[in-house]
Amino acid sequence: MAVYTDISDEDLSAFVAGYGIGEVLSCKGIAEGVENSNFLLVTDQAPFILTLYEKRVDANDLPFFLGLTEHLAAQGVPCPTPVRAQDGQVLRTLSGRPAAIVTFLNGMWPKRIQNYHCAQLGRAMAQLHVAGADFKLTRTNALSVESWRPLLDACQGRGDEVLAGLTDELYAELDVLEAEWPGNLPQGIIHADLFPDNVFFRGENLSGLIDFYFACTDQFAYDVAICLNAWCFERDGDFNATKARKMLQAYRDVRDFSNAEMQALPLLARGAAMRFLLTRLYDGLNTPENALVTPKDPLEYLKKLRFHQAVSGPGAYGLD
Amino acid sequence: MAVYTDISDEDLSAFVAGYGIGEVLSCKGIAEGVENSNFLLVTDQAPFILTLYEKRVDANDLPFFLGLTEHLAAQGVPCPTPVRAQDGQVLRTLSGRPAAIVTFLNGMWPKRIQNYHCAQLGRAMAQLHVAGADFKLTRTNALSVESWRPLLDACQGRGDEVLAGLTDELYAELDVLEAEWPGNLPQGIIHADLFPDNVFFRGENLSGLIDFYFACTDQFAYDVAICLNAWCFERDGDFNATKARKMLQAYRDVRDFSNAEMQALPLLARGAAMRFLLTRLYDGLNTPENALVTPKDPLEYLKKLRFHQAVSGPGAYGLD
């Protein structure tokens, strides 16, 4: 849940007057995006999303994020397009914060994942990977394998408050991940956070990808691995091989997925599980007990990690 | 900030299909209303507000609230109108909660109060008081004078953690309020929570009154007293008599404000200050220290209370 910066009417009117998007009819804070304040801004022309960037996003990264979505949208990837102000800028200032207006995407994120969601996701993710190829900027993945040990260190052994033995188990896994992490797979722009709440559908059709604030330059197959974890496990913890197959088949319709990428998938999926397990663990340990935000369960990702540790190869995912 | 109930796509589609309002394009949780989950629901016909009633609102009161706004809107008061489903109902069930769809009001609430806001508010409040006259249901004001002593008792003397001597000061004030509280002033439907964030403007014109979940049957002048406190003090704590005069003049253009009501205003304003002071104090003492919601400052209302204690009569407000 975002902290909402209050915007005065006068500031908002003056800000919006800098764009050719009509008169403001309404502006409501919305419960979308954890890192920023997001508002649904309705003018007499169209709805838009107004984002004020709060401290958790590094202002130096904003040209990358805004430039990337502008580039991807121009290539036909359904994502929010920054609106240029009349002075040509996409990143301006409102209520003392960096601010941008982006186009509004219809659709809703799926609460219960069906097979067709996974197929549509696979296709859109591959389109994103292909469309990012000629984007000029790069951004290091600040949450890749090098970051995990410092993150676990920062938990100061308190993982055992969540589950006895957890800290040792994670350090042992880190040893494997650091030793075996691949570095030569095809890479480019990845979304790195394509969870269901960042993917909109209208009916059975994918209508938008949002929240590019973890996007970075990394191996494409790692994005696929993140989605295997986020989309292909059922609520009871079971892996659904049909969903994985649907996702990867649709991906391959758009972009080749090499044998080397396929063979690396179990390890990448372990790494992807580790990354979300660690941020959830750290956030959970550092969230006040009575806060209104319920920390996400790190143990959901421990189950996924253990599942991938046990597989013999990508065939176990129903993939070939 | 509301707790947002997640609604599954299938549940939402099935629910909305029960109304003749078109296909759902988007549904986003909005940061409006503390007591309920509110969503901005956009269909291919229009935007609406979808409300799921959480535990803090008594379900037995919902027919009063929904019936009242339907009645007021029919009388021309700009407030959200409940949309009737095809079965004729306004109150239905979604995700296991009572739920209603109401019309969307354009406009934004004023962050910095100008004189014209107060004039428009006075007129709209009087229209509300007049329009409520032939509404058939009644609802007791659960936060009127009888409730204040139990509320202060429930703070268990901990008011002194906020300010030394506060508890004794409030008990002494309660003695006066209980002894002198008027009972014979004209009464009917009042909003009882007409703070700036519940009043929308488009430019200089009032476009909507929202959030009727404290509405009740009580003395009209008490509603005026609440607004004197909420709209006519500057941020530095000074009372702005011009704003009070603008508000009351505009009110009187629509509804008589008798001499008896005028004379009672200082005491009613003390009571209104006590009511918000006490709920803020109680909520502040019972909010976890690290919660994301910042409790509103009870001492803002202590200053207002002391101001009204010191006035010699309504003339001190610039009123006559």
Side-chain angles (χ1 to χ4, degrees), chain A residues 1 7 9-10 12 23-26 28-32 104 106-108 110-112 202 288 290 292-293, chain B residues 4 7 9-10 12 23-26 28-32 104 106-108 110-112 202 288 290 292-293:
Chain A
M1 186 69 54
I7 311 170
D9 332 2
E10 295 83 358
L12 181 65
E23 184 211 345
V24 177
L25 296 183
S26 166
K28 294 185 191 299
I30 57 173
E32 220 159 74
F104 180 87
N106 284 324
M108 285 171 291
K111 311 292 183 301
R112 189 163 54 209
R202 273 189 73 177
N290 292 314
L292 287 183
V293 174
Chain B
Y4 296 104
I7 310 170
D9 332 1
E10 295 83 358
L12 181 66
E23 184 210 344
V24 177
L25 297 182
S26 166
K28 294 184 191 298
I30 57 173
E32 221 159 74
F104 180 86
N106 285 323
M108 286 171 290
K111 311 291 182 302
R112 190 164 51 207
R202 271 189 74 179
N290 292 314
L292 288 183
V293 175

Side-chain angles (χ1 to χ4, degrees), chain B residues 191-217:
Chain B
H191 183 286
D193 196 34
L194 268 181
F195 278 60
D197 57 345
N198 288 330
V199 183
F200 290 173
F201 287 80
R202 271 189 74 179
E204 300 203 354
N205 296 312
L206 189 150
S207 61
L209 307 175
I210 67 163
D211 208 347
F212 283 74
Y213 300 105
F214 290 97
C216 56
T217 314

